[in-house]
Structures are given as structure tokens and as C-alpha cells.
Amino acid sequence: VGRVAAEDVINPMTGEVIVPMNEMISYDKGNEIVAAGIKAVQIRSVLTCRNETGVCVKCYGQDLAHGGYTMGSGIFSGCTALETVVIPAGVTVLSESAFARCAALRNVTLPDTLTNTGKNTFSGCVSLASITLPDGIDVDDGCFADCTALTALTLPANMGSIGYNAFNRSGLTELTVTGNIHSIGSGAFSNTGLTSLVIPGYLGSVD
């Protein structure tokens, strides 16, 4: 449970694929594996990860202490050759500084399951020019600070909170707010080049 299958996990009695390769084994799927009489499965592991810099999220697996599929603090920070990141479905939290100072990072795909970006997660990613945030997400403190190539951002229809210094010293000049925002922390957009801001929906609070 909480690990990603390295190959299809197949029910030996029915031939049905219980867990496809590269998908996480959930509690329910784990129970199906046990019920099918399977004694062992091949899983992806940090010991056999082929990523040249750091450990990929699928080999890292689930942080069971948080009850969701999460990533460890600073796990890829400073990986200066990393250009593309695809966070798989099921990840709920990106922990603090997970991709901080990845200077070549240009493309990031976030899943709809993500609820919190984590603090300083992409801070100092000076090549990151765009990001699509899933609905209802909380952007934590300093998450996109010093992302100088990030010049335009569209927030989702139902935005959670935007933390302290979340976009401080980023390259933002255009910010589009499409719906509601629960709260905006102090310094969230400080030291940017924003020229206009329109909030058409509900704004809970501004620090």
C-alpha cells in the first residue's frame, strides 16, 4: 500500500488487472491483491529509481503519515538540469521546497487531486514561465517567489488561499482572477510588475 506497481498486478484466478503498471496501490487495491492470494508484487523503489537527479515521485511513493500521496521536503531542490515535472494523479500535497531552485524547470503539470502546493515549492525556478493551478488549491507561503519568468497567471474559479510572499519578486505583470479566493496573505504579490488586478468574485480576507 502506498507504493507504485512496477508491472501489472494480475488476479491469477480471473486474469483481471487489479493494479496497472505505474499506478499506486491503494488500501482497496491492496485488499483485492490479498484476496486474490497474491503473495508478492513488483513495486517501484527509491533504490532502483533511474532518474539521473534525485528520486521521481512514483518511486518515492506515498507518505502514509499524511493519509495522502505526498512528496518529501526538498526532494528535488537544486536539480538544475530538471526541465519538466509531471505530478501524477493522487498527489495531494507538494512538501516544502520540493522543486526550489530548479533553474531550468520550464514545464509543470499539477493534478486535480492537489490541494496544497507546500511552502517555497517552486521558489527560485527562474525559467518557469507558466503554471495551471487546479480548482480549490491553496498556494502556500513563498511557493512561486523569485519565479522571474512567470509573467501571467490565471487563478482557478474556486481558489483556496494564497500564502505569505507566494509570488514575491516573481515576474508577474498580468493576474486574472476568475472566481472566489478564500484569503490572500501579506506580501503575496509584492515586488512584482502587476499593472492591474480585478477580483470579480468573493474575497474572504487580505492580510
Side-chain angles (χ1 to χ4, degrees), residues 105-192:
L105 184 60
R106 291 176 172 82
N107 304 301
V108 174
T109 302
L110 303 177
D112 291 339
T113 54
L114 194 68
T115 60
N116 190 293
T117 62
K119 295 180 179 180
N120 304 310
T121 303
F122 298 101
S123 62
C125 292
V126 295
S127 298
L128 184 62
S130 65
I131 188 76
T132 300
L133 299 172
D135 206 40
I137 194 170
D138 291 326
V139 176
D140 216 329
D141 300 346
C143 182
F144 297 100
D146 298 301
C147 291
T148 53
L150 186 62
T151 59
L153 178 68
T154 299
L155 299 180
N158 293 296
M159 187 74 202
S161 61
I162 299 175
Y164 172 78
N165 281 344
F167 295 92
N168 182 32
R169 297 185 304 271
S170 69
L172 280 179
T173 59
E174 300 177 27
L175 178 64
T176 302
V177 181
T178 60
N180 302 327
I181 303 176
H182 183 266
S183 64
I184 300 177
S186 61
F189 298 99
S190 60
N191 302 304
T192 65

Side-chain angles (χ1 to χ4, degrees), residues 2-206:
R3 306 313 300 245
V4 173
E7 59 185 17
D8 289 346
V9 180
I10 299 173
N11 187 318
M13 295 177 286
T14 66
E16 176 190 4
V17 175
I18 301 174
V19 181
M21 182 176 66
N22 289 330
E23 285 197 10
M24 188 180 68
I25 301 171
S26 65
Y27 285 101
D28 290 341
K29 294 298 183 181
N31 289 332
E32 288 185 41
I33 290 170
V34 172
I38 299 172
K39 302 299 182 182
V41 297
Q42 292 292 320
I43 60 169
R44 296 181 60 159
S45 166
V46 296
L47 300 177
T48 57
C49 185
R50 297 179 182 178
N51 195 25
E52 293 182 0
T53 54
V55 179
C56 75
V57 66
K58 288 188 176 181
C59 287
Y60 183 81
Q62 181 182 16
D63 183 349
L64 297 176
H66 291 81
Y69 193 4
T70 67
M71 299 174 63
S73 177
I75 187 170
F76 300 108
S77 62
C79 292
T80 56
L82 186 63
E83 296 183 0
T84 300
V85 170
V86 178
I87 307 298
V91 174
T92 56
V93 176
L94 299 179
S95 297
E96 184 171 352
S97 302
F99 298 97
R101 302 180 307 283
C102 291
L105 184 60
R106 291 176 172 82
N107 304 301
V108 174
T109 302
L110 303 177
D112 291 339
T113 54
L114 194 68
T115 60
N116 190 293
T117 62
K119 295 180 179 180
N120 304 310
T121 303
F122 298 101
S123 62
C125 292
V126 295
S127 298
L128 184 62
S130 65
I131 188 76
T132 300
L133 299 172
D135 206 40
I137 194 170
D138 291 326
V139 176
D140 216 329
D141 300 346
C143 182
F144 297 100
D146 298 301
C147 291
T148 53
L150 186 62
T151 59
L153 178 68
T154 299
L155 299 180
N158 293 296
M159 187 74 202
S161 61
I162 299 175
Y164 172 78
N165 281 344
F167 295 92
N168 182 32
R169 297 185 304 271
S170 69
L172 280 179
T173 59
E174 300 177 27
L175 178 64
T176 302
V177 181
T178 60
N180 302 327
I181 303 176
H182 183 266
S183 64
I184 300 177
S186 61
F189 298 99
S190 60
N191 302 304
T192 65
L194 281 175
T195 57
S196 65
L197 172 64
V198 177
I199 302 177
Y202 166 81
L203 176 58
S205 64
V206 179

